[in-house]
Amino acid sequence: MFTVFFVMLLGVGIGIGLRSFPILKHTGILVRLVIFALLFLLGREVGQNPKIVDNLDTLGLQAILITLAGVAGSVLCSWFVYRLFFSKHER
């Protein structure tokens, strides 16, 4: 885990250092293609794993429940922060 974090910080540092090179300002398409390739390879690996494919219905239900709980918690927390800090009504 520390290796991934270190590589990410190294990339941020290199990105900040190379910001002034005009040719590197147009790397968005390349980054998008690499992300698509990585997502494709991840999907291929998941599809080849029989444990995941056999339990996809259970995993899908858990994923939906976790997603709904996360969204509900975010909405509730956002509403609370809005009422606490940004509401104009008198208390």
Side-chain angles (χ1 to χ4, degrees):
M1 185 67 175
F2 288 117
T3 305
V4 173
F5 187 68
F6 177 72
V7 169
M8 187 176 74
L9 284 178
L10 183 67
V12 168
I14 291 172
I16 290 172
L18 297 177
R19 233 184 328 203
S20 61
F21 288 93
I23 189 108
L24 296 177
K25 293 184 188 273
H26 304 290
T27 58
I29 294 171
L30 179 63
V31 170
R32 188 175 304 139
L33 289 175
V34 169
I35 290 173
F36 287 154
L38 288 173
L39 286 172
F40 172 77
L41 293 173
L42 177 66
R44 187 187 62 119
E45 289 294 320
V46 168
Q48 287 181 341
N49 190 338
K51 285 183 180 178
I52 294 176
V53 174
D54 292 342
N55 295 313
L56 202 55
D57 55 344
T58 305
L59 293 172
L61 179 62
Q62 290 175 351
I64 288 173
L65 292 176
I66 291 170
T67 301
L68 291 175
V71 169
S74 295
V75 168
L76 185 64
C77 185
S78 298
W79 175 80
F80 178 72
V81 168
Y82 176 77
R83 295 275 300 175
L84 187 65
F85 295 109
F86 300 107
S87 183
K88 301 232 186 238
H89 71 284
E90 293 289 327
R91 291 181 205 157

